[in-house]
Amino acid sequence: MSDCVFCKIIAGKIPCNKVYEDEDIFAFHDISPAAPVHFMIVPKQHLASLAEADASHQALLGKLLLKAGELARAQGATDGFRTIINTGRVGGQEVYHLHVHILGGPQPIGPMIGPRGITK
Ligand code: AMP
């Protein structure tokens, strides 16, 4: 946990472009945006991924998702957005602190998976 980049962002030890913060959750812009609007919502509590979540995280997970629409609209994604939670090696997770990506923009952001889809 001490080496977790998102824990350091939450603690103010690494700068970020903050979107929102309350006692449980923190939101900030992705450093490498994949859409005109691209930020992440994370729990302040370190939780490596969705695969590590259990019943004790139920309210926290609900809060992460419930905040998505309000923050997306405030960031300019006024006509829809995409939520992505990459989980584990197969899911392409790079940072092992649970995070919900919120992507959107004034224009549609395209298909969820590239035109070739998943190859074997
Ligand atoms: P994932 O592949 O779902 O684990 O996504 C991790 C995301 O974190 C990537 O989209 C990165 O661009 C983003 N990221 C990594 N380091 C930082 C940072 N210091 N500030 C903001 N975003 C970051």
Side-chain angles (χ1 to χ4, degrees):
M1 187 192 307
S2 56
D3 284 335
C4 173
V5 62
F6 287 179
C7 282
K8 289 178 181 170
I9 287 173
I10 293 162
K13 293 176 181 164
I14 293 177
C16 75
N17 189 356
K18 186 164 91 173
V19 168
Y20 175 80
E21 177 177 14
D22 66 24
E23 65 275 21
D24 299 315
I25 65 178
F26 194 96
F28 57 101
H29 288 277
D30 197 295
I31 202 167
S32 181
V37 174
H38 186 181
F39 62 95
M40 294 173 284
I41 312 177
V42 312
K44 285 189 166 177
Q45 165 193 346
H46 183 83
L47 175 60
S49 83
L50 195 58
E52 275 73 38
D54 61 32
S56 73
H57 302 108
Q58 184 168 320
L60 182 61
L61 293 174
K63 190 167 182 178
L64 288 174
L65 291 180
L66 277 176
K67 217 51 185 166
E70 173 192 329
L71 296 182
R73 283 188 293 278
Q75 291 300 313
T78 53
D79 196 20
F81 55 91
R82 178 171 300 148
T83 50
I84 299 174
I85 305 176
N86 294 323
T87 303
R89 180 181 64 84
V90 172
Q93 186 173 3
E94 296 171 6
V95 177
Y96 278 78
H97 181 127
L98 174 66
H99 50 282
V100 182
H101 291 266
I102 312 294
L103 299 108
Q107 304 299 326
I109 56 174
M112 185 167 73
I113 298 175
R116 294 177 62 218
I118 298 169
T119 55
K120 287 185 180 175

